[in-house]
Amino acid sequence: MKTLFKNIFLLSGVLGLVVNIGCKKQLDINKSPNVPEVSNGTPSVVFPAGLFGTTAAVGGQLAILGAIWGEYVTQSAASNQYKTIDAYQVSQNDLNNGYTQLFANGLKNYQFVLDKSKETSNWNFYIMAATMKAYSAQVLVDLYDQIPYFEALQGTGNLTPKFDDGYTIYLDLLKLLDTALSKPLNPAILTPAEKSADLIFKGDMTKWTQFANTMKLKMYLRMVYKKPTDAQSGIQKLYAGGASFLTVDAGMTGFTNVANKDNPMYEMNIRALNTPDNLRASQTFTSFLKANSDPRIVFSFGTSSPVANHQGDYTGGDIKATVLVQKATDPVVFISLAESYFMQAEAR
Amino acid sequence: MLSMLMLVSALAFAQSRTVTGRVTDAQGKPVPFASVTVKGTPNGVAADENGNFTIQAPPNAVLVFSAAGLQSSEVNIGAQTTVNSSLVNQSALTEVVVTALGQTRSKAKVGYSTTTFNSEQINRAAPANALDALSGKIAGANISKTGGPGSSTKVVLRGYGFLGGGNQPLYVIDGVPLSDARFGASENVDFGNGLNDINPNDIENITVLKGTAASSLYGSNAKNGAIMITTKRGRSGKLKIEYNGSVNFSTIGKLPEMQSTFGQGWGGIFVLPENGSWGPRLDGVVRQWGSIVDNSQLIKPFSFIEDNIRDFYDIGQEFNNTLSLSGGGEVTQFYFSYGNVTSDGVIPSNTDKYQRNTFALRTNSRFKNFTINSSFNYSNKKQNSPFTGQGGSDGASVFEEVLQIPVDIPITDFKDYKNKFFNVDNYFTPYAENPYYPLYENRNTQNSDRFFGNIDMNYAFTKAFSAQLRMGGDVTNARTFAYKAVNAPSIGSWNKGGNTEGASRAPDVGSVTEGANYLGTINGDFILKYNSSLSPDISLEAFAGVNYFQEDQKGSAAQITNLFIPGFYNLSNSLDPPTASDFAQHRKRIGVYAQTIFGYKNQLYLTLNARNDWSSTLPIDNNSLFYPGASLAWVASQTLDLHGPVSLLKLRASYGKTGSDPNPYLVYPTLALGNVGLGFGNLTFPFNGVTSFGINNTIGNLSLEPIITTEAEIGTEIRFFKNRLGLDLAVYDKKTKGQILTVPIAPSSGYTGLVNNLGSVDNRGIEVALDAKPVDAKDFNWSFTYTFSKNWNKLESLTTGLDNVVLNTAYDASLIGYPGKSLTGIYAPVPKYTADGKIVVSATTGMPVEAEEQGFYGNSEYDYMMGLFNSFNYKKINLSFSLDYRKGGNMYSGTADLLNFTGNAYNTTYNDRKPFIVPNSVVQTGTDASGKPIYEENSIIIDETAYTDYWYPTQNKAGSYYSRIIEKSFLKLRDASLSYTLPQAWASKIHSTNLSIGVYARNILLWTPKSNFYIDPEASNLGNDIGSELGEFRTAPVSQQYGVSLRANF
């Protein structure tokens, strides 16, 4: 008996030793070989993924929302994909996709780029991420007014971030843009890979400065009715500082006619659906175009006299109404040149 | 070689003399191949087929006689040279079971419920896979084969405990875990699971350890119980040759019942290119039908085709042959076997074929105190598997196309699929494809090579103390190759706008897919054992050990679509570059464990075991898991000294804890390839010459914990009338906590999912097994075993912020677990009802309005399961059959869905297809002052054109799911066999020692509830784990087999 226990004791000691020595090192193999580690992330690796998040929302679900609520197009009378939008009966979960893409793919990745580029003083990417963050957050604020901002993007640190009001967020975004604009930009140090990662301007930092200034202008103009003093002083400061604004479209191009690489509104409204003809001409838009002999009518609808339905008339409308013309290669424009000029005109 | 051994042994036992004798059983019949050993020495022989033996033994040696199923006996030979022995049937106390880690012990000591099967029981109906033979024979085990030859088998012991899958038990072969992976499986194809690689003819016995207490020694693998397989080994004696062969033919089993009143058309009228039977009444008149080609058309009578789908299927054949050689001397014995299964299923063409070759070589060697056993097994498989489920833009899947043929059009006519009336251009409908086309032009194959084995060494230091070292490995390489042909109807042809409806079929762009998978595991155990008595009354059996386990997986896949040259299936054949992916996974586990069994006067046994694992898939600073277990077995009949009718009363109680470490790579945060979902469609990188990886939207969990299963079980085994009647009862309660799931979280946190431990699932149930031998005479005996089991499954809780967990979906039907209810409930849309039970219908269409919440259609879990196995023996003839009855449970049928869409389904003749108003229905005409709806009796008629829409979810989401969710009860004749052992005189003519022939039948479906017009409820293409509980989605029907078998020993 005594030897038995002595043996057992010795045995467990030996086993314990064996286990401990080899254990930790042997078992430290839980890093996935199938995806890169976070430490592999650099601004040029992560930035385009962020761009996709903004593009998907602004160019996809929110583009359709805007097209219908802006009364450019209306739901077809022969199908029913967007009936709830046209009827202004959008329910709680209907726009989740846009919200999710802007936060989880857009803002989160931009924040990573901001933090990383600040660490390495890479002010080129800093202004790129700052401008895109401002753009994406501003779209959300304009749509929802109150969004989580100051407590957001912390992952497990805060799973229920509180909602902040639009004005405070705007101020913070303006501050961020000012910081970014004040940093020295040096496009010469960008590597070819980094230039390609800039899917919007291919590393042209002058254009990014212009984009950032245009963003500031846009935000001040949005504040004109509620906070006129802020707007006034902000715009005056912009012009006093000799700010230059966008002279080209700022947006995503390069879409091709291949599944998952095409314009998001085309992908989700045409390629991925059985019925590719849900969006038809709206009389609101066509009557305006016709009244002004606007040549863009052919661009949008393929003919100078499209058959149009009244906005929202999908129960009684013509089932043969003209379908909106969409191409897989259409770009997604964030701020167009026209918008840039329009804002400058408004500012004066 | 043999003579050398004989010489050595002759020298070693110079004092020995030749002793001969005969071993018989209680009835005086010879015990063939009984084992005779000289006690205390490694000297042993096997008797011949007549029980005669010859052995060298010194005077006063003690000979030990033993054989499977019989109680061993010891005889001191004294000065005799002739010794006979009579062996009695084994009592339940001396039966031996294989428990965790491959330790054998007598059943008496075991404190939990086990079921064992020997080789004869397993191979009676010549199954190609061992698990098929066990279906319906184990109380508490839900075993179903989901398809044709080589398909996967679902094995769930005591209910589903794991939300995320992984509900299969651990398979152990000769003490080493065996991987049960499914390679290349999806909703569209199934190549079977790992157990299919084992040749059932190589198996000596199987012990099923159902409960957690039984398998807790296995720690992190055996959370769902374990199935212990012991393979055949050689015995010393002259060379023995055994041949087992069987040929069987399969016919298709249950097929959908079609309505026979209405023929091709839509909306009540005859329409040439339609793929459904919504047309006029069948009148037998000969008319033109199908496509118009070269200004001509075919003609046929407009009448119902009997057995239309049955005639589509062929008769399948299966050849199953195994040849084994075994034998050996006193030091070394060996066993070698070669097995071949060649099977062609019931689907025409080469679409379902299964071919398996297995080689096994096992040796046992004994040198004084040291034994070394080895096992080397190689299994090669070549399999073709049909495409099930939904077709894609790359090509069709067979069963969908078969179901879309109107009831008056003979399917077998289309076999000539290149004929100008039946080809891609001119098949009668542009809305579906000729089923023979994908049958002959598309293919899905998998070839795999598997090697597994182990080396097992034992050294006995003293009589009480020994050490064991066992190293095992299991390596599989599987290569999958699939292709779908490219085709497009020509412009202007019948299927491209040239038909009377102007419709076109979208082209099939074709595809080629290549996949390679590797899975390798290494398992090593070092165990120290101690067997002794602490006192005359108290015995002690103890062991302690260390285990090392490593698993490596690697897979890669590449695919092209849009084939350029038709008929050329290679990844280079496309304008688009291939999409490729690869994947690797590694995990390791180190464990220490110990078990002690204290026995008191051979009546009371207390087993204590404990195991601690360290796993690589848990956070490195908190990667330890501890599993204790205990069980108590009391042979009350001995203690209470019971006599009379009760020959054995044993009480059992046990408690155990096992767990599961998570899958690898869930702990650390990572990046992920940029991929954004748009709601419909995606945007993915690489894009525009750039690729990008963003921060992964699923957060890993740095404090991830293992999933823990705890189970308590009590039971009893009672035997009456000298073992003629036995009852085994077990009651258990199993809780599984800390499920690992990705929980959705607010995207404003920056992420969309969090990997977390959550929830708790409870399974409790009762298992009853009754076995009896009502007649036991000299020439005739009759025995049967009856099993009954019922399991209650409940999802006890999830976590805050998660109301339910969706396990699988098919269109609008979902398999969902709600806290407080069964884990596997089926939910789908239901109509809205008023307070007094009237259906609310739409004021515009007259179709039922959908209720706000989805309705509960029933649980997928069976109410109860019963099995009955019956065996009659008359002289040398044996007749056995086994029934499997499962009552209750529901499933969604994708076959029913498609048949209701096409109007082929039996139930779509409601009201003779005349216009009707939904019975007992109302419409909402407005709301009253308080906002409550006002209802009025409904008078909207559903006319002939709208009649079709009533049966399909697009227009009648609320009401159409009743015909798609069916009750899945069934009664099957699992196997029936009649065998005859030929008289020895005849067998000797071919020098055979034992020759028997038999006929058998398998898997005959006897009954399903009237509401199941559609499919064998065991068929599924949704896998073999919890997701498959939703039902099936247009899968291949299962078949039944009839065959003959032959067994010859030489």
Side-chain angles (χ1 to χ4, degrees):
Chain A
M1 259 306 253
K2 211 165 155 203
T3 7
L4 167 66
F5 284 134
K6 204 167 109 192
N7 283 336
I8 292 179
F9 194 67
L10 220 76
L11 195 64
S12 23
V14 169
L15 287 175
L17 206 66
V18 164
V19 162
N20 250 323
I21 290 179
C23 221
K24 263 206 166 111
K25 216 170 115 213
Q26 276 276 314
L27 297 178
D28 195 0
I29 54 166
N30 208 20
K31 295 241 163 81
S32 172
N34 304 309
V35 281
E37 288 182 59
V38 177
S39 51
N40 293 120
T42 64
S44 59
V45 168
V46 175
F47 185 67
L51 281 177
F52 257 22
T54 310
T55 309
V58 167
Q61 191 173 57
L62 296 179
I64 293 177
L65 182 78
I68 295 179
W69 281 0
E71 302 200 23
Y72 294 106
V73 284
T74 182
Q75 168 63 43
S76 154
S79 50
N80 41 39
Q81 187 75 5
Y82 306 115
K83 274 187 184 164
T84 40
I85 299 180
D86 222 351
Y88 290 90
Q89 280 176 350
V90 172
S91 74
Q92 209 177 35
N93 291 324
D94 284 350
L95 296 176
N96 277 356
N97 189 273
Y99 185 86
T100 306
Q101 297 315 335
L102 282 169
F103 266 111
N105 283 313
L107 289 174
K108 178 192 67 195
N109 287 320
Y110 297 140
Q111 193 59 45
F112 177 85
V113 175
L114 279 171
D115 295 336
K116 263 275 181 302
S117 41
K118 202 157 150 205
E119 265 177 51
T120 55
S121 294
N122 185 340
W123 304 120
N124 297 323
F125 269 99
Y126 189 78
I127 194 175
M128 285 158 61
T131 314
M132 287 314 301
K133 171 176 172 174
Y135 180 81
S136 311
Q138 186 252 322
V139 165
L140 281 167
V141 168
D142 281 1
L143 201 53
Y144 298 108
D145 177 40
Q146 290 187 344
I147 57 163
Y149 181 81
F150 292 102
E151 286 184 1
L153 308 177
Q154 293 179 50
T156 41
N158 190 335
L159 291 174
T160 49
K162 74 171 183 352
F163 283 70
D164 300 302
D165 74 287
Y167 177 57
T168 334
I169 297 175
Y170 259 46
L171 288 181
D172 192 76
L173 291 172
L174 287 163
K175 207 171 85 184
L176 174 67
L177 286 169
D178 281 334
T179 320
L181 285 164
S182 70
K183 302 288 182 191
L185 301 177
N186 190 356
I189 63 161
L190 286 174
T191 66
E194 288 178 325
K195 285 201 189 141
S196 319
D198 175 5
L199 290 167
I200 302 184
F201 292 132
K202 299 267 176 291
D204 185 341
M205 299 318 297
T206 331
K207 295 217 176 68
W208 277 105
T209 315
Q210 290 174 336
F211 192 1
N213 284 326
T214 317
M215 271 311 302
K216 286 177 68 178
L217 183 62
K218 184 172 181 184
M219 288 200 282
Y220 285 129
L221 285 171
R222 289 273 189 285
M223 290 200 282
V224 147
Y225 294 115
K226 282 287 179 170
K227 306 277 179 186
T229 23
D230 280 26
Q232 175 106 354
S233 60
I235 296 178
Q236 281 174 337
K237 220 164 136 206
L238 260 180
Y239 278 97
S244 60
F245 303 103
L246 281 173
T247 49
V248 290
D249 287 344
M252 289 280 276
T253 54
F255 296 108
T256 52
N257 191 4
V258 175
N260 303 337
K261 318 280 184 196
D262 49 3
N263 175 295
M265 191 166 154
Y266 182 88
E267 170 86 7
M268 68 181 283
N269 186 44
I270 298 190
R271 189 188 299 281
L273 290 183
N274 304 4
T275 24
D277 48 17
N278 274 297
L279 295 175
R280 305 295 180 100
S282 162
Q283 286 213 9
T284 321
F285 189 40
T286 53
S287 56
F288 168 81
L289 291 170
K290 281 202 215 158
N292 292 294
S293 302
D294 194 321
R296 288 175 296 177
I297 197 168
V298 182
F299 237 143
S300 298
F301 300 110
T303 158
S304 51
S305 45
V307 176
N309 286 333
H310 290 291
Q311 186 70 33
D313 192 15
Y314 48 79
T315 32
D318 194 337
I319 56 168
K320 294 209 190 63
T322 317
V323 184
L324 174 70
V325 167
Q326 279 182 268
K327 290 200 291 295
T329 47
D330 288 340
V332 173
V333 178
F334 295 143
I335 298 186
S336 68
L337 177 58
E339 190 178 349
S340 167
Y341 284 147
F342 183 72
M343 289 196 287
Q344 292 170 58
E346 280 201 316
R348 293 204 185 282
Chain B
M1 168 82 169
L2 231 59
S3 46
M4 259 258 304
L5 285 170
M6 295 286 271
L7 198 63
V8 167
S9 53
L11 288 170
F13 302 100
Q15 291 264 41
S16 306
R17 303 109 83 243
T18 310
V19 177
T20 60
R22 193 152 179 261
V23 186
T24 54
D25 65 16
Q27 273 80 32
K29 293 197 279 250
V31 180
F33 315 120
S35 164
V36 186
T37 55
V38 179
K39 188 166 181 181
T41 75
N43 188 10
V45 301
D48 65 14
E49 64 280 359
N50 287 316
N52 295 314
F53 69 90
T54 307
I55 192 171
Q56 300 297 316
N60 296 314
V62 174
L63 291 182
V64 181
F65 301 89
S66 62
L70 299 170
Q71 204 159 313
S72 318
S73 97
E74 297 183 6
V75 178
N76 185 320
I77 65 171
Q80 295 164 289
T81 53
T82 310
V83 180
N84 294 323
S85 177
S86 174
L87 302 180
V88 298
N89 277 335
Q90 202 157 44
S91 76
L93 292 179
T94 49
E95 204 181 314
V96 154
V97 294
V98 180
T99 60
L101 293 167
Q103 308 301 313
T104 51
R105 53 185 38 91
S106 80
K107 195 165 175 186
K109 303 182 182 170
V110 165
Y112 39 77
S113 137
T114 61
T115 312
T116 46
F117 297 90
N118 62 31
S119 176
E120 206 226 312
Q121 291 167 315
I122 295 167
N123 289 297
R124 182 172 293 129
N129 304 310
L131 294 172
D132 298 341
L134 306 182
S135 197
K137 299 190 174 87
I138 307 170
N142 177 354
I143 301 181
S144 287
K145 190 174 171 85
T146 58
S151 63
S152 298
T153 306
K154 170 164 44 181
V155 180
V156 182
L157 304 177
R158 294 189 173 168
Y160 285 98
F162 288 81
L163 305 176
N167 284 286
Q168 310 297 312
L170 174 69
Y171 295 98
V172 178
I173 192 156
D174 295 332
V176 178
L178 187 70
S179 129
D180 189 38
R182 299 172 70 222
F183 295 113
S186 73
E187 186 181 298
N188 293 115
V189 69
D190 174 23
F191 288 111
N193 54 322
L195 249 296
N196 292 356
D197 294 330
I198 311 294
N199 181 353
N201 283 303
D202 273 351
I203 298 179
E204 179 70 59
N205 61 55
I206 293 183
T207 301
V208 181
L209 306 177
K210 287 174 277 185
T212 308
S215 55
S216 88
L217 262 184
Y218 271 111
S220 304
N221 258 332
K223 52 204 189 320
N224 299 307
I227 294 189
M228 317 291 296
I229 301 173
T230 310
T231 54
K232 287 184 179 162
R233 300 247 156 198
R235 277 195 278 252
S236 57
K238 67 177 180 102
L239 186 69
K240 284 188 279 291
I241 303 178
E242 181 169 315
Y243 167 75
N244 279 295
S246 109
V247 177
N248 71 54
F249 299 95
S250 7
T251 57
I252 194 71
K254 182 177 174 71
L255 287 171
E257 276 171 60
M258 309 298 211
Q259 53 85 10
S260 54
T261 320
F262 299 91
Q264 183 183 21
W266 210 270
I269 53 174
F270 179 75
V271 186
L272 266 181
E274 278 296 344
N275 58 332
S277 307
W278 294 111
R281 216 170 273 276
L282 293 166
D283 57 10
V285 174
V286 174
R287 292 194 182 80
Q288 292 169 317
W289 71 282
S291 49
I292 302 171
V293 183
D294 298 337
N295 265 322
S296 63
Q297 245 182 322
L298 298 171
I299 56 169
K300 71 162 180 62
F302 193 59
S303 41
F304 180 71
I305 311 281
E306 293 281 349
D307 290 333
N308 204 3
I309 298 192
R310 191 164 291 277
D311 292 339
F312 171 74
Y313 290 100
D314 274 349
I315 295 187
Q317 317 108 306
E318 181 172 280
F319 302 92
N320 185 344
N321 297 289
T322 304
L323 184 69
S324 72
L325 281 73
S326 67
E330 277 150 43
V331 174
T332 300
Q333 299 93 39
F334 83 99
Y335 173 91
F336 168 78
S337 80
Y338 167 69
N340 173 291
V341 172
T342 303
S343 181
D344 188 359
V346 291
I347 305 176
S349 86
N350 285 336
T351 295
D352 56 349
K353 272 171 104 79
Y354 179 71
Q355 190 180 77
R356 179 186 74 201
N357 288 292
T358 52
F359 294 84
L361 176 64
R362 305 189 192 112
T363 66
N364 316 334
S365 304
R366 190 185 196 116
F367 305 94
K368 275 208 187 163
N369 294 339
F370 178 69
T371 58
I372 173 165
N373 301 337
S374 74
S375 169
F376 301 101
N377 306 272
Y378 168 71
S379 177
N380 168 280
K381 170 189 88 174
K382 287 190 181 32
Q383 183 175 7
N384 287 354
S385 199
F387 280 102
T388 55
Q390 269 189 319
S393 57
D394 56 344
S397 133
V398 182
F399 307 101
E400 268 197 329
E401 310 307 329
V402 169
L403 297 172
Q404 291 184 76
I405 297 180
V407 299
D408 60 289
I409 297 184
I411 301 178
T412 44
D413 277 8
F414 295 129
K415 196 160 182 185
D416 184 9
Y417 66 94
K418 296 201 175 132
N419 176 303
K420 69 175 183 183
F421 285 106
F422 308 139
N423 61 13
V424 168
D425 280 347
N426 300 313
Y427 183 60
F428 79 95
T429 174
Y431 303 114
E433 280 185 58
N434 184 336
Y436 287 93
Y437 185 90
L439 213 51
Y440 287 96
E441 297 290 326
N442 299 351
R443 192 63 72 233
N444 223 340
T445 64
Q446 187 175 87
N447 285 10
S448 80
D449 294 295
R450 181 177 194 170
F451 175 80
F452 63 93
N454 68 68
I455 301 206
D456 193 349
M457 298 181 278
N458 234 300
Y459 185 77
F461 296 101
T462 70
K463 221 171 93 171
F465 189 54
S466 60
Q468 178 181 18
L469 176 65
R470 183 174 54 212
M471 307 283 306
D474 184 357
V475 173
T476 315
N477 253 307
R479 299 165 303 285
T480 314
F481 176 63
Y483 60 82
K484 282 187 176 174
V486 57
N487 66 67
S490 326
I491 299 185
S493 68
W494 184 258
N495 283 326
K496 190 83 179 166
N499 55 69
T500 54
E501 288 189 307
S504 298
R505 171 163 85 72
D508 286 334
V509 299
S511 64
V512 177
T513 313
E514 295 264 11
N517 288 87
Y518 164 81
L519 174 66
T521 64
I522 296 176
N523 187 76
D525 282 289
F526 176 67
I527 308 174
L528 295 165
K529 300 189 252 200
Y530 181 80
N531 282 353
S532 180
S533 307
L534 298 179
S535 82
D537 285 341
I538 303 183
S539 67
L540 173 69
E541 226 181 287
F543 66 81
V546 182
N547 169 266
Y548 173 78
F549 174 79
Q550 174 182 327
E551 180 188 274
D552 298 292
Q553 280 193 59
K554 191 125 174 71
S556 60
Q559 186 187 66
I560 52 159
T561 55
N562 279 320
L563 299 187
F564 185 55
I565 302 179
F568 174 49
Y569 300 114
N570 180 288
L571 291 175
S572 59
N573 190 20
S574 171
L575 295 171
D576 303 327
T579 48
S581 65
D582 80 331
F583 140 88
Q585 196 177 83
H586 310 279
R587 78 196 302 164
K588 285 185 190 171
R589 234 181 263 134
I590 296 180
V592 296
Y593 48 84
Q595 179 180 85
T596 50
I597 306 181
F598 296 100
Y600 179 69
K601 284 194 176 158
N602 283 340
Q603 291 162 23
L604 187 66
Y605 295 96
L606 173 68
T607 308
L608 301 167
N609 52 266
R611 177 168 175 143
N612 201 72
D613 275 345
W614 288 266
S615 164
S616 70
T617 65
L618 285 168
I620 194 81
D621 294 319
N622 191 10
N623 62 358
S624 160
L625 312 92
F626 179 64
Y627 309 116
S631 71
L632 192 65
W634 177 30
V635 186
S637 48
Q638 265 186 264
T639 316
L640 304 173
D641 205 19
L642 291 177
H643 292 292
V646 178
S647 44
L648 169 72
L649 172 66
K650 179 174 156 201
L651 300 169
R652 311 184 298 244
S654 64
Y655 169 84
K657 192 168 168 189
T658 61
S660 169
D661 50 356
N663 283 330
Y665 315 140
L666 295 176
V667 173
Y668 299 111
T670 64
L671 300 180
L673 184 65
N675 177 351
V676 172
L678 299 168
F680 289 90
N682 292 60
L683 267 184
T684 49
F685 279 101
F687 171 79
N688 225 3
V690 168
T691 191
S692 171
F693 292 83
I695 312 278
N696 195 334
N697 283 332
T698 302
I699 319 180
N701 190 334
L702 290 166
S703 3
L704 197 61
E705 287 183 358
I707 310 174
I708 303 286
T709 305
T710 34
E711 183 175 354
E713 178 189 324
I714 54 173
T716 176
E717 189 182 342
I718 315 176
R719 305 204 72 86
F720 304 86
F721 310 122
K722 290 201 185 130
N723 248 357
R724 289 272 292 271
L725 180 67
L727 176 70
D728 190 311
L729 200 73
V731 173
Y732 60 88
D733 186 354
K734 179 169 84 165
K735 277 198 186 9
T736 312
K737 285 203 173 84
Q739 313 273 342
I740 294 180
L741 276 186
T742 303
V743 177
I745 54 178
S748 50
S749 68
Y751 303 87
T752 55
L754 169 66
V755 178
N756 214 354
N757 293 99
L758 52 88
S760 161
V761 177
D762 183 56
N763 278 293
R764 55 186 73 167
I766 177 170
E767 293 160 3
V768 178
L770 183 79
D771 68 274
K773 201 161 191 172
V775 181
D776 193 11
K778 184 161 165 284
D779 283 338
F780 177 72
N781 66 54
W782 169 30
S783 61
F784 70 83
T785 307
Y786 166 77
T787 59
F788 172 87
S789 59
K790 181 165 172 64
N791 184 67
W792 286 267
N793 169 292
K794 186 159 102 170
L795 174 61
E796 297 208 303
S797 65
L798 273 178
T799 188
T800 48
L802 198 60
D803 306 317
N804 62 62
V805 56
V806 178
L807 301 166
N808 205 351
T809 56
Y811 290 138
D812 308 295
S814 321
L815 186 69
I816 306 181
Y818 281 98
K821 301 204 167 63
S822 169
L823 179 59
T824 50
I826 299 190
Y827 296 82
V830 282
K832 188 167 171 181
Y833 285 92
T834 61
D836 53 347
K838 300 208 192 305
I839 296 189
V840 178
V841 299
S842 150
T844 39
T845 60
M847 302 278 188
V849 165
E850 212 184 321
E852 269 127 33
E853 299 267 327
Q854 283 207 321
F856 175 62
Y857 279 77
N859 292 323
S860 79
E861 193 177 31
Y862 293 114
D863 293 340
Y864 56 83
M865 302 194 282
M866 294 204 285
L868 178 67
F869 171 73
N870 233 311
S871 172
F872 301 96
N873 268 304
Y874 175 68
K875 288 192 185 168
K876 297 230 179 175
I877 302 178
N878 172 286
L879 172 68
S880 322
F881 65 88
S882 132
L883 293 167
D884 188 353
Y885 176 58
R886 304 194 199 173
K887 177 82 171 70
N890 299 277
M891 60 180 272
Y892 169 86
S893 167
T895 303
D897 174 82
L898 193 53
L899 290 174
N900 271 275
F901 170 70
T902 55
N904 290 356
Y906 190 72
N907 56 304
T908 56
T909 52
Y910 174 73
N911 200 37
D912 210 25
R913 294 198 181 170
K914 294 204 172 50
F916 70 98
I917 299 174
V918 174
N920 207 18
S921 56
V922 293
V923 283
Q924 181 175 356
T925 46
T927 49
D928 63 15
S930 60
K932 279 221 222 29
I934 306 172
Y935 295 111
E936 214 176 73
E937 196 180 320
N938 171 39
S939 55
I940 301 169
I941 302 172
I942 296 178
D943 61 19
E944 281 100 348
T945 34
Y947 187 89
T948 315
D949 296 335
Y950 185 74
W951 301 98
Y952 205 61
T954 316
Q955 295 290 42
N956 183 13
K957 208 191 269 201
S960 55
Y961 277 87
Y962 290 109
S963 35
R964 285 154 170 80
I965 298 176
I966 56 181
E967 194 191 321
K968 66 184 198 185
S969 317
F970 66 85
L971 171 64
K972 270 194 185 172
L973 180 65
R974 278 295 173 201
D975 49 68
S977 66
L978 176 67
S979 70
Y980 173 58
T981 309
L982 268 57
Q984 195 49 47
W986 298 15
S988 315
K989 288 213 176 91
I990 53 166
H991 300 290
S992 162
T993 55
N994 181 26
L995 199 58
S996 64
I997 54 170
V999 294
Y1000 63 87
R1002 296 199 306 237
N1003 206 31
I1004 299 176
L1005 180 61
L1006 300 176
W1007 172 84
T1008 48
K1010 266 212 189 59
S1011 56
N1012 182 357
F1013 302 116
Y1014 307 106
I1015 194 159
D1016 184 321
E1018 286 190 298
S1020 176
N1021 58 328
L1022 299 179
N1024 67 342
D1025 209 301
I1026 197 167
S1028 68
E1029 289 291 305
L1030 178 60
E1032 59 86 21
F1033 201 82
R1034 301 169 195 174
T1035 189
V1038 295
S1039 60
Q1040 45 211 38
Q1041 292 89 38
Y1042 305 89
V1044 295
S1045 66
L1046 168 72
R1047 173 175 156 179
N1049 294 83
F1050 300 93

